[in-house]
Amino acid sequence: MNIKKPDTDLVDKLVYANRILYDQGVVDGLGHVSVRHDSEPGVFLLSCNRAPGLVTHADIVCYDYEGNAVSQTEERPYLERFIHSEIYRLRPDVMAVVHSHSPSVIPFGATGNRLRPIFHMAGFLGSGSAHFEIRDHGGNTDMLIRSNELGAALARSLGSCSCVLMRGHGSTVVGNSVEQVVYRAIYAEVNAKLQLHANGLGEINFLNEEEAGLAAATNDSQIARSWDLWKRRIGPINAG
Amino acid sequence: MNIKKPDTDLVDKLVYANRILYDQGVVDGLGHVSVRHDSEPGVFLLSCNRAPGLVTHADIVCYDYEGNAVSQTEERPYLERFIHSEIYRLRPDVMAVVHSHSPSVIPFGATGNRLRPIFHMAGFLGSGSAHFEIRDHGGNTDMLIRSNELGAALARSLGSCSCVLMRGHGSTVVGNSVEQVVYRAIYAEVNAKLQLHANGLGEINFLNEEEAGLAAATNDSQIARSWDLWKRRIGPINAG
Amino acid sequence: MNIKKPDTDLVDKLVYANRILYDQGVVDGLGHVSVRHDSEPGVFLLSCNRAPGLVTHADIVCYDYEGNAVSQTEERPYLERFIHSEIYRLRPDVMAVVHSHSPSVIPFGATGNRLRPIFHMAGFLGSGSAHFEIRDHGGNTDMLIRSNELGAALARSLGSCSCVLMRGHGSTVVGNSVEQVVYRAIYAEVNAKLQLHANGLGEINFLNEEEAGLAAATNDSQIARSWDLWKRRIGPINAG
Amino acid sequence: MNIKKPDTDLVDKLVYANRILYDQGVVDGLGHVSVRHDSEPGVFLLSCNRAPGLVTHADIVCYDYEGNAVSQTEERPYLERFIHSEIYRLRPDVMAVVHSHSPSVIPFGATGNRLRPIFHMAGFLGSGSAHFEIRDHGGNTDMLIRSNELGAALARSLGSCSCVLMRGHGSTVVGNSVEQVVYRAIYAEVNAKLQLHANGLGEINFLNEEEAGLAAATNDSQIARSWDLWKRRIGPINAG
């Protein structure tokens, strides 16, 4: 456990990410968000077993790819930290991960439908979300990603996508920064709600792959505007 | 009326349960939550006729299986306390009961559909909710469970399930603790909303019975995380 | 304009009714609620042209059946006060009236469907809502009830019902007290939302007429519980 | 950059418009509202690149029809200011413009359906919304109106309508004042939600063109009532 301390600003950002995801209705008592350590390879930051809306700086723990804590903690970890560890292992481009049960997304996973970008804000969905069926990898389970093996299977199902739907459970999105992954988690939920509503109106003319890619690139340059708003809604967080 | 006083912590928990169910949108001015007395067999704790969002410690009354108050009170009781008394009589495993008109659940009872677990959080639904048709037991009524007889019929319809839908009225869920029954009432509503939304997307691949059982067992070990959040949202309650 | 002053408690109740209907999502900037004067026949109390969420005691004006102000005021009246005046004229049993554009109700009026009681809380809907088509009475109009003639046509369409849907506009509910009409306006909206949600699940087994009548009678004895909650949410109102 | 300062009240109104549109759920971190300069032809007022919910008086910038800032600013402009500039150029009757991604409207643009007035509050929709397909003008793009050319194409698609749906993006509404355009943006969203809900109930009997026109004229005389409410919800804004 002789690792470098993560950057203070990064920890601060991760705490805000937890609070923002709760404030925006992406997570309730469950769900989690992580970020890679800024200077320790193979290490990521994640809260201990706490509701995201209550997370403070003291709750942030460093874990390695095996899901073991590598910073001082006496708190219980999240059962599903392997979602994070195995995606970081397989996808070096991924710097941050959100796992949630955000409500409008669940119906798509449960019926085998994909999320596709119905508007430019969800350009990151590209040609659609990936799908993960836990029965194919673990048979009948409690649905949770509670081992490195299931985490690795989930990471493979994600492939090069930015979002994977987990049947009977929720979804996981990835990004290249805390801000981007929070943005994506929020707009995956918004896009899902829009798809649900459009469903009864006729065939949906989704963004095609080129439009989605171009929109995603532009949106990335605009995330700060929304982040400012989301953070302002939370106000100061006691560092304790 | 020579009964032992219930444990102070249990009363406190029951008051929070009332407030939490209101804050989470499970109950409005109506609905109620009860818990078995910790040391008096055949006795349970329930608020007097008060909106759950306004319940304080002074409102909690002890009732026996006949629905009679066995602690000092001058307040009117809930008309439907027989929902609680008869379930406690028939189901010794049940330690806590919630009755509500939570909005997403009503359409299922009104159309004769079952709630089934669309995601792991609702594993407690197992192979589905039970159904109660009051006309089969009381003919044309005001729909309320206002007698021991109707309470007993409802308890029999519940059987060994954790949730029974009451046509034209609402639903009742049971649990082995205040925390568990509050959790179940909240996620029965969430699951119902997800089923409604998934309905238009295609066939729903529900959790099978083994998955549901395994998920329910895991969730029970995680309730404290959500309970902390729900309680924090309420803040301190004046004991008066 | 030599009329008796209305009872202070009645005015207070009407101010709360305005605020509650806004807080509960029944009205937005538009909509209104009235009550009969307690001691002047042919007179009712209604706010001047103010958003219900901002109404104070000073805004309450007395009007006669012609829609003329009979208490001192320099404020503009609501264009649609004739909804109230003509219902009071035709229905001596009606003591209070709410007109709103509550969102879940509009789709029923626009498609010619009735609201019917999907749960006991809406027993007052009896065998269903009435329907009003303004084109049958005024041809092409701005949809508003801006004359005694249109008000009388609406009152006749209401008949002996408790709720009339107004195509392309909204709805009006009546009751025998401020508390009852507020209760009915809130649960007409809730019932409409439930009917919308149940619509995709299969045939709805509504309360039959006898069940509806019995449920309505019981609910009337329980309104105080909800009224306490609704009022507490508003807090004190500056009498100014 | 030798232009006259805009009227202080107009700037104040525009700041409130930003905050109101956020408070009412029409915009989130994105979206914008503008108004013509009161004394400089060919100039309009629009915030710099800021989330509408955070806009203050200091953020308001003057732009010309080319989308160039003509008042002192060091802040980044909105990428899509050309939506505003080109509509002002083409439509001398338009005094204010709102662009948003309001959620219920998106499904209509994505499926090629029109918004039509389901109730009197949306009379301004007349015989329906216009439609804009960016692919017809720019091929595959990032979906944004980031040039005068695309802005001009959008303005032509709008034609003489008050609302244009932008496939895969959002919508734009126009009005003859800040208050009117805010009113229209709010009720375009409300009307869209009502249309979505009515969709499953049967054929919708929309306002016909004459009814819509008459209703729109009446509503215009009533906007102040809603504006008072919307503004009161925001409270005072620090002029800084």
Side-chain angles (χ1 to χ4, degrees), chain B residues 177-225:
Chain B
S177 69
V178 171
E179 292 93 328
Q180 196 198 54
V181 85
V182 166
Y183 167 91
R184 287 179 172 186
I186 291 171
Y187 283 102
E189 169 64 15
V190 172
N191 195 82
K193 191 179 290 183
L194 298 176
Q195 266 189 264
L196 283 172
H197 287 156
N199 201 42
L201 291 183
E203 204 185 341
I204 304 174
N205 192 354
F206 291 105
L207 270 63
N208 62 34
E209 218 171 323
E210 188 179 351
E211 289 173 332
L214 292 166
T218 295
N219 292 335
D220 283 346
S221 71
Q222 301 287 321
I223 293 176
R225 196 193 326 171

Side-chain angles (χ1 to χ4, degrees), chain A residues 4 16 23 27 44 56 59 62 108 125 142 150 173 180 207 221 233 240:
Chain A
K4 287 177 222 147
Y16 269 106
D23 184 53
V27 299
F44 63 97
T56 63
D59 294 322
C62 295
F108 290 84
L125 289 171
D142 66 4
L150 286 169
V173 298
Q180 196 199 53
L207 270 63
S221 72
R233 288 177 54 90

Side-chain angles (χ1 to χ4, degrees), chain A residues 91-167:
Chain A
R91 287 273 301 267
D93 62 309
V94 169
M95 304 307 281
V97 176
V98 170
H99 168 65
S100 81
H101 315 144
S102 87
S104 303
V105 176
I106 308 266
F108 290 84
T111 55
N113 282 278
R114 282 185 302 155
L115 292 187
R116 293 182 60 193
I118 194 172
F119 76 151
H120 65 302
M121 299 298 290
F124 63 89
L125 289 171
S127 56
S129 56
H131 188 76
F132 177 69
E133 171 53 74
I134 196 170
R135 268 185 218 152
D136 296 344
H137 305 281
N140 287 339
T141 64
D142 66 4
M143 312 303 288
L144 299 191
I145 306 298
R146 49 195 307 158
S147 70
N148 288 101
E149 289 67 31
L150 286 169
L154 176 69
R156 287 192 305 270
S157 290
L158 172 65
S160 59
C161 291
S162 61
C163 175
V164 56
L165 308 189
M166 303 153 80
R167 194 269 308 165

Side-chain angles (χ1 to χ4, degrees), chain A residues 12-235:
Chain A
D12 193 61
K13 224 175 254 186
L14 186 59
V15 171
Y16 269 106
N18 274 277
R19 302 292 188 96
I20 289 168
L21 290 168
Y22 175 63
D23 184 53
Q24 296 289 321
V26 173
V27 299
D28 54 9
L30 293 307
H32 14 85
V33 50
S34 69
V35 64
R36 278 190 195 271
H37 195 293
D38 54 294
S39 58
E40 284 282 359
V43 175
F44 63 97
L45 283 60
L46 179 71
S47 169
C48 64
N49 190 40
R50 186 91 59 219
L54 302 179
V55 165
T56 63
H57 296 71
D59 294 322
I60 304 298
V61 179
C62 295
Y63 295 96
D64 64 20
Y65 285 171
E66 299 307 309
N68 296 322
V70 291
S71 63
Q72 182 57 41
T73 180
E74 290 173 11
E75 300 281 346
R76 227 164 117 178
Y78 289 129
L79 292 174
E80 298 196 285
R81 59 201 179 279
F82 308 101
I83 292 173
H84 305 263
S85 62
E86 294 297 330
I87 288 175
Y88 287 125
R89 194 197 301 265
L90 196 68
R91 287 273 301 267
D93 62 309
V94 169
M95 304 307 281
V97 176
V98 170
H99 168 65
S100 81
H101 315 144
S102 87
S104 303
V105 176
I106 308 266
F108 290 84
T111 55
N113 282 278
R114 282 185 302 155
L115 292 187
R116 293 182 60 193
I118 194 172
F119 76 151
H120 65 302
M121 299 298 290
F124 63 89
L125 289 171
S127 56
S129 56
H131 188 76
F132 177 69
E133 171 53 74
I134 196 170
R135 268 185 218 152
D136 296 344
H137 305 281
N140 287 339
T141 64
D142 66 4
M143 312 303 288
L144 299 191
I145 306 298
R146 49 195 307 158
S147 70
N148 288 101
E149 289 67 31
L150 286 169
L154 176 69
R156 287 192 305 270
S157 290
L158 172 65
S160 59
C161 291
S162 61
C163 175
V164 56
L165 308 189
M166 303 153 80
R167 194 269 308 165
H169 181 173
S171 61
T172 298
V173 298
V174 300
N176 65 18
S177 70
V178 172
E179 292 93 328
Q180 196 199 53
V181 85
V182 166
Y183 167 92
R184 287 178 171 188
I186 291 171
Y187 283 102
E189 169 64 15
V190 172
N191 195 82
K193 191 180 290 182
L194 298 175
Q195 266 189 266
L196 282 172
H197 287 155
N199 202 42
L201 291 183
E203 204 184 342
I204 304 174
N205 192 353
F206 290 105
L207 270 63
N208 64 33
E209 218 170 325
E210 189 178 350
E211 289 172 332
L214 292 166
T218 296
N219 292 335
D220 283 346
S221 72
Q222 301 286 323
I223 293 176
R225 195 193 327 170
S226 297
W227 183 262
D228 284 350
L229 174 70
W230 296 329
K231 207 172 151 181
R232 186 81 75 91
R233 288 177 54 90
I234 307 300

